[in-house]
């Protein structure tokens, strides 16, 4: 369940009419209707009776109303906490794992800036990043899980299923969803294990458990090189979350049935709260805002 879905649900409840709710949200009526139906499917209940007079909450819908309002209020509180967490600008070095979802990184930097932090991004693999945070060479980091977080606070801020990224004219691009069996014979565009050993091993273990033992083509996680190779090499696919993909010309992304997930976390030194660098206080607020979005 996503925060925007709860906003849409609340608007329909308050307006009692799909068209008026869509207008208040700046959406098309069909788009809002699709989002409400998607939420109902996710919860496996009907939230509204559709009548000529408008949208009337069902018993399940009425049960959701106070929880939706509480979650949305908590999100507003988290955003305010981020803005108030620091009164003066501080400078931090913040690690970012290569291949992190672009929207997540942008939102992280917006929140840090709003909290008065002038953050310097540092491109550091997950395997090296946690040691750098422990040693104080980095103030905080965005890592791909799993990692050894001993001595650190780690808060998961992104959890997304992987899908199949491939060239637009690939035979599997015509599918609405790709199965593991259909990946047989495909080469996997992947990354060197030393960059993120935990994630590397977890995803390959999921592939093997599903019966797919792909030949690996290990490449640096650099978007331009990554997408160029996918466009040019037949029978080559990548596993990426939808949120991390800008298809661009010549590429397509398709959901993968029973896909493993990729999770990202913010990490910082446990108990690092004192002096002029209140890392824990600010990062706790930032993590709360990211998970509420």
């Amino acid at each position: 369940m996503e925060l925007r879905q709860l906003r849409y649900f609340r608007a329909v409840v308050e307006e009692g009419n799909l068209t008026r709710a869509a207008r208040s949200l700046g959406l098309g009526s069909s788009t809002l209707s699709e989002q409400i139906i998607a939420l109902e499917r996710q919860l496996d209940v009907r939230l509204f009776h559709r009548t000529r007079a408008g949208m009337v909450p069902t018993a399940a819908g009425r049960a959701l109303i106070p929880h939706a309002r509480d979650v949305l209020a908590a999100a507003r509180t988290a955003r305010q906490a981020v803005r108030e967490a620091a009164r003066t600008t501080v400078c931090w070095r913040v690690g970012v794992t290569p291949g992190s979802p672009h929207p997540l990184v942008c939102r992280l930097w917006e929140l840090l800036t709003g909290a008065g932090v002038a953050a310097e991004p540092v491109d550091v693999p997950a395997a090296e990043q946690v040691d750098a945070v422990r040693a104080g060479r980095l103030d905080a980091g965005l890592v791909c899980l799993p990692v050894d977080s001993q001595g650190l606070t780690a808060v998961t801020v992104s959890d997304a299923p992987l899908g199949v990224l491939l060239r637009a004219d690939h035979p599997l691009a015509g599918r609405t969803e790709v199965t593991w069996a259909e990946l047989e014979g495909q080469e996997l565009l992947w990354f060197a294990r030393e960059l993120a050993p935990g994630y590397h091993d977890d995803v390959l273990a999921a592939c093997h458990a599903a019966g797919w033992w792909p030949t690996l083509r290990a490449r640096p996680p650099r978007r331009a090189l990554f997408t160029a190779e996918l466009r040019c090499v037949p029978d080559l696919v990548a596993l990426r979350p939808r949120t991390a993909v800008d298809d661009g010309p010549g590429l397509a992304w398709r959901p993968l049935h029973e896909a493993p997930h990729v999770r990202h976390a913010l990490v910082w030194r446990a108990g690092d709260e004192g002096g002029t660098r209140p890392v824990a206080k600010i990062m706790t607020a930032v993590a709360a805002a990211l998970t509420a979005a």
Side-chain angles (χ1 to χ4, degrees):
M1 192 184 310
E2 300 178 10
L3 191 65
R4 63 185 175 86
Q5 291 177 312
L6 293 180
R7 285 199 297 266
Y8 298 162
F9 168 77
R10 183 185 63 181
V12 175
V13 169
E14 292 177 348
E15 295 291 346
N17 179 279
L18 194 68
T19 300
R20 289 197 301 268
R23 189 180 301 118
S24 71
L25 292 165
L27 299 174
S29 297
S30 60
T31 299
L32 180 57
S33 177
E34 290 170 1
Q35 291 296 323
I36 295 298
I37 292 171
L39 179 59
E40 290 178 322
R41 287 175 177 168
Q42 186 176 348
L43 296 174
D44 197 25
V45 296
R46 290 194 64 181
L47 297 173
F48 293 97
H49 296 297
R50 279 78 168 168
T51 71
R52 291 184 178 180
M55 303 283 280
V56 180
T58 63
R62 292 194 298 273
L64 180 59
I65 291 171
H67 299 288
R69 287 172 175 162
D70 287 347
V71 169
L72 293 169
R76 288 194 300 271
T77 300
R79 293 190 186 98
Q80 185 62 31
V82 169
R83 297 187 182 103
E84 296 177 353
R87 294 182 181 179
T88 59
T89 299
V90 295
C91 296
W92 290 359
R93 285 168 56 84
V94 179
V96 178
T97 300
S100 296
H102 182 67
L104 177 62
V105 175
C106 290
R107 182 62 179 146
L108 170 60
W109 247 253
E110 289 174 359
L111 292 168
L112 289 173
T113 300
V117 175
E120 175 191 349
V122 184
D123 190 351
V124 186
E128 301 174 17
Q129 199 175 134
V130 289
D131 290 337
V133 174
R134 285 194 195 99
R137 297 190 301 275
L138 294 174
D139 293 286
L142 177 65
V143 300
C144 186
L145 296 175
V147 296
D148 175 12
S149 59
Q150 183 177 1
L152 303 175
T153 299
V155 179
T156 301
V157 294
S158 174
D159 186 332
L162 295 176
V164 182
L165 185 63
L166 34 66
R167 53 193 284 173
D169 61 352
H170 192 289
L172 294 180
R175 305 284 196 272
T176 56
E177 182 181 68
V178 177
T179 67
W180 288 103
E182 289 172 324
L183 291 175
E184 184 64 33
Q186 302 298 310
E187 191 175 7
L188 177 61
L189 185 56
W190 205 223
F191 60 91
R193 183 179 183 275
E194 59 265 21
L195 295 178
Y199 175 59
H200 179 283
D201 293 350
D202 278 5
V203 172
L204 289 185
C207 294
H208 299 163
W212 184 41
W213 292 74
T215 300
L216 302 182
R217 183 184 290 242
R219 294 290 187 270
R222 297 293 178 263
R223 177 174 293 186
L225 297 174
F226 191 88
T227 56
E229 196 155 9
L230 276 176
R231 291 188 184 108
C232 296
V233 180
D235 299 327
L236 181 66
V237 301
L239 297 179
R240 301 279 286 175
R242 185 69 185 92
T243 54
V245 173
D246 177 10
D247 291 354
L251 290 181
W253 184 91
R254 296 294 177 265
L256 175 62
H257 183 64
E258 296 182 349
H261 282 224
V262 55
R263 296 177 298 131
H264 287 81
L266 290 179
V267 296
W268 62 90
R269 287 182 296 281
D272 191 355
E273 304 192 22
T276 60
R277 304 168 73 80
V279 175
K281 182 178 180 180
I282 293 177
M283 292 307 296
T284 298
V286 168
L290 284 174
T291 54

